[in-house]
Amino acid sequence: MEVSKILHMNSGVGDKSYAKNSLLQRKAMSKAWPIIKEAIEDYLCTENTPITTLSIADLGCSSGPNTLSILSDLITQFHKIIQLHHNKPIQYQIFFNDLPSNDFNFLFRSLSKFLEDLKNQIGTDFGTCFFNGVPGSFYGRLFPNKSLHFVHSSYTLHWLSKVSEGMEMVNKGNIFINRTSPKNVIEGYYKQFQKDFSLFLKCRGEEIGMIREEKVDRFNVPNFMPSSEEVKTEVLKEGSFIVNRVEVARIDWNSYNDEFNQSNVFVDSSYCYAKCIRSVFEPLMIPHFGEAIVEELFHKFGKIVKDEMSKKQCQETNITISLTKK
Protein backbone atom coordinates (compact mmCIF):
# COMPACT_ATOMS: atom_id res chain seq x y z
CA MET A 1 0.00 0.00 0.00
CA GLU A 2 1.53 3.31 -1.15
CA VAL A 3 0.30 5.63 1.58
CA SER A 4 1.37 8.85 -0.13
CA LYS A 5 -0.80 8.09 -3.17
CA ILE A 6 -4.06 7.15 -1.46
CA LEU A 7 -4.18 8.76 1.99
CA HIS A 8 -6.53 11.73 2.30
CA MET A 9 -9.51 12.72 4.40
CA ASN A 10 -13.03 12.49 2.95
CA SER A 11 -13.49 15.56 0.79
CA GLY A 12 -16.40 17.94 0.31
CA VAL A 13 -19.02 18.99 2.86
CA GLY A 14 -21.27 15.94 2.85
CA ASP A 15 -22.45 13.94 5.85
CA LYS A 16 -19.34 11.70 5.75
CA SER A 17 -16.83 14.45 4.95
CA TYR A 18 -13.89 15.40 7.12
CA ALA A 19 -15.17 18.97 7.12
CA LYS A 20 -18.34 17.83 8.92
CA ASN A 21 -16.65 15.30 11.19
CA SER A 22 -13.45 16.87 12.55
CA LEU A 23 -14.62 18.38 15.84
CA LEU A 24 -12.30 16.06 17.80
CA GLN A 25 -9.28 17.39 15.90
CA ARG A 26 -10.41 20.99 16.44
CA LYS A 27 -10.70 20.40 20.17
CA ALA A 28 -7.18 18.99 20.18
CA MET A 29 -5.93 22.19 18.54
CA SER A 30 -7.74 24.31 21.13
CA LYS A 31 -6.01 22.34 23.90
CA ALA A 32 -2.66 23.03 22.25
CA TRP A 33 -3.37 26.74 21.68
CA PRO A 34 -1.75 28.05 24.91
CA ILE A 35 1.52 26.36 23.87
CA ILE A 36 1.21 27.70 20.31
CA LYS A 37 0.52 31.19 21.64
CA GLU A 38 3.59 30.98 23.87
CA ALA A 39 5.72 29.88 20.90
CA ILE A 40 4.55 32.91 18.90
CA GLU A 41 5.39 35.26 21.76
CA ASP A 42 8.82 33.65 22.23
CA TYR A 43 9.58 33.97 18.53
CA LEU A 44 8.56 37.61 18.29
CA CYS A 45 10.51 38.47 21.45
CA THR A 46 13.73 37.51 19.63
CA GLU A 47 12.96 39.91 16.79
CA ASN A 48 14.61 43.26 17.43
CA THR A 49 14.08 44.60 13.91
CA PRO A 50 10.80 45.40 12.12
CA ILE A 51 9.13 42.35 10.57
CA THR A 52 7.95 42.74 6.98
CA THR A 53 7.04 39.16 6.01
CA LEU A 54 6.10 36.01 7.95
CA SER A 55 6.13 32.61 6.27
CA ILE A 56 3.75 30.16 7.95
CA ALA A 57 3.18 26.52 6.99
CA ASP A 58 0.42 24.14 8.10
CA LEU A 59 1.67 20.62 7.44
CA GLY A 60 -1.03 18.00 6.94
CA CYS A 61 -3.66 20.71 6.53
CA SER A 62 -6.40 18.46 5.04
CA SER A 63 -9.38 20.17 3.39
CA GLY A 64 -11.78 20.99 6.21
CA PRO A 65 -12.24 24.14 8.28
CA ASN A 66 -9.63 23.30 10.93
CA THR A 67 -6.63 24.57 8.99
CA LEU A 68 -8.39 27.89 8.37
CA SER A 69 -9.44 28.09 12.01
CA ILE A 70 -5.88 27.69 13.32
CA LEU A 71 -4.57 30.02 10.61
CA SER A 72 -7.03 32.69 11.72
CA ASP A 73 -5.84 32.29 15.31
CA LEU A 74 -2.18 32.46 14.25
CA ILE A 75 -2.58 35.63 12.19
CA THR A 76 -4.67 37.26 14.93
CA GLN A 77 -2.04 36.51 17.55
CA PHE A 78 0.86 37.61 15.36
CA HIS A 79 -1.00 40.82 14.47
CA LYS A 80 -1.79 41.57 18.10
CA ILE A 81 1.86 41.37 19.19
CA ILE A 82 3.32 43.02 16.09
CA GLN A 83 1.01 46.00 16.61
CA LEU A 84 2.63 46.61 19.98
CA HIS A 85 6.07 47.00 18.41
CA HIS A 86 5.54 48.02 14.80
CA ASN A 87 3.02 50.26 13.10
CA LYS A 88 3.13 48.97 9.55
CA PRO A 89 1.03 45.98 8.37
CA ILE A 90 3.08 42.96 7.28
CA GLN A 91 2.80 40.29 4.60
CA TYR A 92 1.82 36.71 5.44
CA GLN A 93 3.08 33.95 3.17
CA ILE A 94 0.81 30.97 3.90
CA PHE A 95 1.62 27.41 2.82
CA PHE A 96 -1.00 24.63 2.95
CA ASN A 97 0.67 21.23 2.77
CA ASP A 98 -0.81 17.77 2.43
CA LEU A 99 -0.43 14.71 0.23
CA PRO A 100 -1.27 15.18 -3.47
CA SER A 101 -4.61 13.34 -3.10
CA ASN A 102 -5.88 16.02 -0.67
CA ASP A 103 -8.81 18.16 -1.82
CA PHE A 104 -6.92 21.44 -2.16
CA ASN A 105 -9.61 22.90 -4.42
CA PHE A 106 -12.17 22.86 -1.60
CA LEU A 107 -9.66 24.62 0.61
CA PHE A 108 -8.92 27.34 -1.95
CA ARG A 109 -12.61 27.92 -2.60
CA SER A 110 -12.95 28.73 1.11
CA LEU A 111 -10.26 31.44 1.15
CA SER A 112 -12.46 34.40 0.11
CA LYS A 113 -14.78 33.86 3.04
CA PHE A 114 -11.82 33.23 5.32
CA LEU A 115 -10.31 36.64 4.46
CA GLU A 116 -13.67 38.35 4.83
CA ASP A 117 -14.16 36.84 8.29
CA LEU A 118 -10.60 37.71 9.29
CA LYS A 119 -11.06 41.36 8.31
CA ASN A 120 -14.30 41.54 10.28
CA GLN A 121 -12.52 40.05 13.29
CA ILE A 122 -9.29 42.09 13.45
CA GLY A 123 -9.79 44.90 10.95
CA THR A 124 -8.52 45.52 7.46
CA ASP A 125 -5.06 46.76 8.48
CA PHE A 126 -3.56 43.40 9.52
CA GLY A 127 -1.61 43.04 6.27
CA THR A 128 -1.71 40.99 3.10
CA CYS A 129 -2.02 37.20 2.75
CA PHE A 130 -0.47 35.15 -0.05
CA PHE A 131 -1.71 31.55 -0.19
CA ASN A 132 0.13 28.55 -1.63
CA GLY A 133 -0.66 24.86 -1.92
CA VAL A 134 2.29 22.51 -1.36
CA PRO A 135 1.45 18.90 -2.29
CA GLY A 136 3.87 16.30 -0.97
CA SER A 137 4.87 14.21 2.03
CA PHE A 138 6.26 16.09 5.02
CA TYR A 139 8.60 13.13 5.50
CA GLY A 140 10.82 14.88 2.99
CA ARG A 141 11.86 18.38 1.96
CA LEU A 142 9.04 20.73 0.96
CA PHE A 143 10.61 24.20 1.13
CA PRO A 144 13.96 25.91 0.40
CA ASN A 145 16.54 26.30 3.16
CA LYS A 146 15.63 28.81 5.90
CA SER A 147 12.46 29.93 4.13
CA LEU A 148 9.93 29.42 6.95
CA HIS A 149 9.37 31.28 10.21
CA PHE A 150 6.58 29.25 11.81
CA VAL A 151 5.38 25.68 11.23
CA HIS A 152 2.17 24.16 12.59
CA SER A 153 1.10 20.53 12.36
CA SER A 154 -1.77 18.91 14.24
CA TYR A 155 -3.17 15.35 14.17
CA THR A 156 -0.70 14.38 11.46
CA LEU A 157 2.51 12.87 12.81
CA HIS A 158 0.83 9.67 13.98
CA TRP A 159 0.53 8.81 10.29
CA LEU A 160 3.57 6.87 9.13
CA SER A 161 5.08 7.19 5.67
CA LYS A 162 4.39 3.48 5.18
CA VAL A 163 3.48 0.30 7.02
CA SER A 164 6.59 -1.26 8.51
CA GLU A 165 8.14 -3.98 6.34
CA GLY A 166 6.93 -7.54 6.81
CA MET A 167 3.70 -6.76 8.68
CA GLU A 168 1.30 -8.21 6.07
CA MET A 169 0.57 -11.56 7.70
CA VAL A 170 2.06 -11.05 11.17
CA ASN A 171 -0.52 -8.87 12.92
CA LYS A 172 -3.35 -11.35 12.38
CA GLY A 173 -6.85 -10.30 13.34
CA ASN A 174 -5.81 -6.65 13.76
CA ILE A 175 -5.53 -3.59 11.55
CA PHE A 176 -4.03 -1.48 14.36
CA ILE A 177 -1.50 -2.19 17.08
CA ASN A 178 -3.22 -3.39 20.24
CA ARG A 179 -2.42 -5.57 23.25
CA THR A 180 -2.76 -8.77 21.20
CA SER A 181 -0.20 -7.65 18.60
CA PRO A 182 3.08 -9.61 18.63
CA LYS A 183 6.14 -7.86 20.06
CA ASN A 184 7.90 -7.77 16.69
CA VAL A 185 4.92 -5.89 15.21
CA ILE A 186 5.03 -3.23 17.91
CA GLU A 187 8.80 -2.91 17.50
CA GLY A 188 8.44 -2.68 13.72
CA TYR A 189 5.94 0.16 13.93
CA TYR A 190 8.06 1.95 16.52
CA LYS A 191 11.16 1.75 14.32
CA GLN A 192 9.20 3.16 11.40
CA PHE A 193 7.98 6.00 13.61
CA GLN A 194 11.57 6.73 14.72
CA LYS A 195 12.74 6.84 11.12
CA ASP A 196 9.85 9.04 9.94
CA PHE A 197 9.85 11.47 12.85
CA SER A 198 13.61 11.91 12.73
CA LEU A 199 13.37 12.71 9.01
CA PHE A 200 10.52 15.15 9.68
CA LEU A 201 12.63 17.02 12.24
CA LYS A 202 15.70 17.04 10.01
CA CYS A 203 13.76 18.49 7.07
CA ARG A 204 12.05 21.16 9.17
CA GLY A 205 15.38 22.02 10.78
CA GLU A 206 16.73 22.88 7.33
CA GLU A 207 13.62 24.79 6.21
CA ILE A 208 12.93 27.01 9.23
CA GLY A 209 14.81 30.31 9.22
CA MET A 210 16.04 30.43 12.81
CA ILE A 211 17.64 33.79 12.11
CA ARG A 212 16.41 35.79 9.19
CA GLU A 213 19.11 36.30 6.56
CA GLU A 214 18.78 40.07 6.54
CA LYS A 215 19.36 40.13 10.31
CA VAL A 216 22.64 38.23 9.84
CA ASP A 217 23.59 40.55 6.99
CA ARG A 218 23.19 43.58 9.27
CA PHE A 219 25.43 42.12 12.00
CA ASN A 220 29.19 42.61 11.74
CA VAL A 221 31.71 41.94 14.50
CA PRO A 222 34.00 44.96 15.08
CA ASN A 223 37.10 42.79 14.96
CA PHE A 224 40.14 42.78 12.64
CA MET A 225 43.19 40.52 12.90
CA PRO A 226 46.15 42.31 11.25
CA SER A 227 49.25 40.53 10.06
CA SER A 228 52.60 41.29 11.66
CA GLU A 229 53.60 43.27 8.57
CA GLU A 230 50.42 45.36 8.73
CA VAL A 231 51.10 46.20 12.38
CA LYS A 232 54.74 47.12 11.63
CA THR A 233 53.75 49.28 8.65
CA GLU A 234 51.29 51.35 10.71
CA VAL A 235 53.84 51.91 13.50
CA LEU A 236 56.44 53.12 11.02
CA LYS A 237 53.91 55.27 9.16
CA GLU A 238 52.75 57.02 12.37
CA GLY A 239 56.38 57.75 13.28
CA SER A 240 56.33 58.10 17.09
CA PHE A 241 58.02 54.77 17.89
CA ILE A 242 60.92 52.58 16.88
CA VAL A 243 60.09 48.90 16.34
CA ASN A 244 62.30 46.71 18.50
CA ARG A 245 60.71 43.33 17.90
CA VAL A 246 57.65 41.81 16.28
CA GLU A 247 56.97 38.19 17.21
CA VAL A 248 54.20 35.88 16.02
CA ALA A 249 53.01 33.07 18.32
CA ARG A 250 50.43 30.42 17.56
CA ILE A 251 48.23 28.80 20.20
CA ASP A 252 46.58 25.50 19.45
CA TRP A 253 42.84 25.26 20.09
CA ASN A 254 43.63 21.99 21.81
CA SER A 255 45.82 23.71 24.41
CA TYR A 256 43.28 23.11 27.19
CA ASN A 257 45.06 19.81 27.84
CA ASP A 258 48.61 21.15 28.17
CA GLU A 259 50.50 22.49 31.19
CA PHE A 260 47.74 25.03 31.94
CA ASN A 261 45.35 22.19 32.82
CA GLN A 262 46.04 22.11 36.56
CA SER A 263 43.46 19.39 37.27
CA ASN A 264 45.29 16.81 35.09
CA VAL A 265 41.87 15.65 33.89
CA PHE A 266 41.36 15.43 30.13
CA VAL A 267 38.85 18.00 28.89
CA ASP A 268 37.03 18.47 25.60
CA SER A 269 39.05 21.28 24.05
CA SER A 270 36.43 22.02 21.41
CA TYR A 271 33.85 22.61 24.14
CA CYS A 272 36.26 24.82 26.10
CA TYR A 273 37.24 26.84 23.03
CA ALA A 274 33.58 27.39 22.08
CA LYS A 275 32.87 28.61 25.63
CA CYS A 276 35.84 30.96 25.42
CA ILE A 277 34.54 32.51 22.20
CA ARG A 278 31.04 32.73 23.66
CA SER A 279 32.31 34.61 26.72
CA VAL A 280 33.72 37.24 24.37
CA PHE A 281 31.05 37.58 21.68
CA GLU A 282 27.78 36.84 23.50
CA PRO A 283 27.32 40.41 24.87
CA LEU A 284 27.59 41.71 21.29
CA MET A 285 25.10 39.22 19.87
CA ILE A 286 22.28 39.33 22.43
CA PRO A 287 21.17 42.93 21.68
CA HIS A 288 21.00 42.13 17.95
CA PHE A 289 19.67 38.57 17.80
CA GLY A 290 17.89 38.27 21.15
CA GLU A 291 18.82 36.20 24.20
CA ALA A 292 16.50 33.28 23.45
CA ILE A 293 18.29 32.30 20.25
CA VAL A 294 21.91 32.72 21.37
CA GLU A 295 21.94 29.43 23.32
CA GLU A 296 21.11 27.48 20.16
CA LEU A 297 23.60 29.51 18.12
CA PHE A 298 26.52 28.64 20.37
CA HIS A 299 25.38 25.03 20.62
CA LYS A 300 25.69 24.82 16.83
CA PHE A 301 28.98 26.71 16.96
CA GLY A 302 30.37 24.13 19.38
CA LYS A 303 29.56 21.37 16.90
CA ILE A 304 31.29 23.28 14.09
CA VAL A 305 34.41 23.77 16.24
CA LYS A 306 34.50 20.08 17.11
CA ASP A 307 34.17 19.12 13.44
CA GLU A 308 36.93 21.53 12.36
CA MET A 309 39.30 20.31 15.08
CA SER A 310 38.76 16.71 13.98
CA LYS A 311 39.90 17.53 10.44
CA LYS A 312 42.89 19.81 10.98
CA GLN A 313 45.10 21.58 13.49
CA CYS A 314 43.34 24.80 14.46
CA GLN A 315 45.31 27.69 15.93
CA GLU A 316 44.99 31.25 17.15
CA THR A 317 47.63 33.68 15.87
CA ASN A 318 48.95 36.29 18.30
CA ILE A 319 51.28 39.20 17.63
CA THR A 320 53.60 40.69 20.25
CA ILE A 321 55.28 44.00 19.45
CA SER A 322 57.93 45.86 21.45
CA LEU A 323 58.24 49.62 20.81
CA THR A 324 60.55 52.42 22.00
CA LYS A 325 59.48 56.04 21.93
CA LYS A 326 61.62 58.07 19.59
Side-chain angles (χ1 to χ4, degrees):
M1 177 171 66
E2 293 190 57
V3 175
S4 62
K5 290 185 177 180
I6 62 172
L7 179 62
H8 63 86
M9 306 298 105
N10 282 347
S11 58
V13 290
D15 184 57
K16 297 177 182 177
S17 68
Y18 182 78
K20 293 288 188 181
N21 297 278
S22 53
L23 179 62
L24 177 68
Q25 289 87 338
R26 182 176 292 193
K27 284 190 173 183
M29 287 194 301
S30 69
K31 292 284 188 183
W33 176 248
I35 298 173
I36 297 171
K37 183 179 175 183
E38 183 180 292
I40 292 172
E41 292 169 353
D42 287 346
Y43 171 72
L44 291 179
C45 282
T46 67
E47 292 293 321
N48 298 319
T49 54
I51 296 171
T52 57
T53 302
L54 272 174
S55 297
I56 303 170
D58 189 22
L59 306 186
C61 63
S62 191
S63 60
N66 288 352
T67 187
L68 297 178
S69 175
I70 189 64
L71 179 58
S72 175
D73 291 341
L74 290 173
I75 292 176
T76 300
Q77 186 64 23
F78 273 117
H79 176 64
K80 187 185 300 182
I81 300 175
I82 288 170
Q83 269 194 322
L84 298 175
H85 302 92
H86 314 289
N87 296 322
K88 294 182 179 179
I90 70 166
Q91 298 179 114
Y92 295 92
Q93 183 87 345
I94 311 298
F95 298 98
F96 298 108
N97 157 258
D98 213 311
L99 294 172
S101 52
N102 183 57
D103 188 0
F104 285 100
N105 287 333
F106 174 81
L107 186 59
F108 292 140
R109 286 195 298 268
S110 307
L111 291 178
S112 295
K113 186 176 185 308
F114 165 78
L115 284 174
E116 184 182 333
D117 292 343
L118 189 62
K119 289 174 183 177
N120 290 334
Q121 181 181 340
I122 62 175
T124 58
D125 64 340
F126 69 90
T128 309
C129 291
F130 299 92
F131 300 102
N132 307 267
V134 184
S137 171
F138 51 51
Y139 292 128
R141 288 294 301 272
L142 294 167
F143 306 96
N145 288 345
K146 296 179 172 57
S147 60
L148 299 177
H149 298 106
F150 197 88
V151 174
H152 173 267
S153 191
S154 179
Y155 256 74
T156 55
L157 288 167
H158 57 298
W159 290 104
L160 302 177
S161 64
K162 64 178 182 177
V163 176
S164 184
E165 300 288 344
M167 296 294 111
E168 288 80 6
M169 297 299 294
V170 181
N171 196 24
K172 292 184 178 180
N174 300 306
I175 60 172
F176 287 103
I177 298 174
N178 66 16
R179 57 189 175 188
T180 66
S181 298
K183 183 179 179 182
N184 64 323
V185 170
I186 298 171
E187 289 175 349
Y189 272 86
Y190 178 56
K191 286 180 181 178
Q192 187 62 48
F193 163 76
Q194 288 178 305
K195 181 180 178 182
D196 286 345
F197 190 45
S198 177
L199 185 57
F200 176 90
L201 295 173
K202 182 178 185 296
C203 292
R204 304 299 82 78
E206 293 168 350
E207 294 166 350
I208 294 175
M210 187 176 67
I211 295 177
R212 295 185 315 182
E213 189 173 345
E214 61 267 29
K215 180 169 277 193
V216 176
D217 292 341
R218 284 196 294 268
F219 181 75
N220 293 285
V221 176
N223 194 309
F224 177 72
M225 303 292 191
S227 68
S228 57
E229 282 302 312
E230 288 170 330
V231 172
K232 187 175 180 179
T233 297
E234 291 306 308
V235 172
L236 295 175
K237 189 197 305 184
E238 195 279 329
S240 297
F241 295 89
I242 297 169
V243 177
N244 299 322
R245 292 183 65 182
V246 178
E247 295 289 337
V248 176
R250 290 177 173 81
I251 301 175
D252 201 297
W253 289 8
N254 201 31
S255 61
Y256 292 91
N257 286 302
D258 61 15
E259 67 272 13
F260 290 101
N261 183 1
Q262 299 296 323
S263 65
N264 293 320
V265 176
F266 180 82
V267 296
D268 183 349
S269 288
S270 65
Y271 173 75
C272 294
Y273 179 78
K275 282 183 68 180
C276 172
I277 298 300
R278 177 174 184 167
S279 69
V280 174
F281 288 103
E282 186 173 34
L284 285 172
M285 301 180 77
I286 286 177
H288 188 80
F289 295 108
E291 192 168 0
I293 211 167
V294 167
E295 187 70 34
E296 179 64 18
L297 281 175
F298 281 105
H299 178 68
K300 289 179 180 290
F301 176 68
K303 289 183 177 180
I304 293 170
V305 170
K306 194 177 189 69
D307 181 60
E308 287 297 305
M309 289 180 67
S310 70
K311 294 185 292 189
K312 61 185 180 183
Q313 184 180 21
C314 300
Q315 296 178 320
E316 289 286 318
T317 302
N318 297 268
I319 299 171
T320 303
I321 184 167
S322 172
L323 307 175
T324 300
K325 179 79 169 69
K326 282 185 178 180

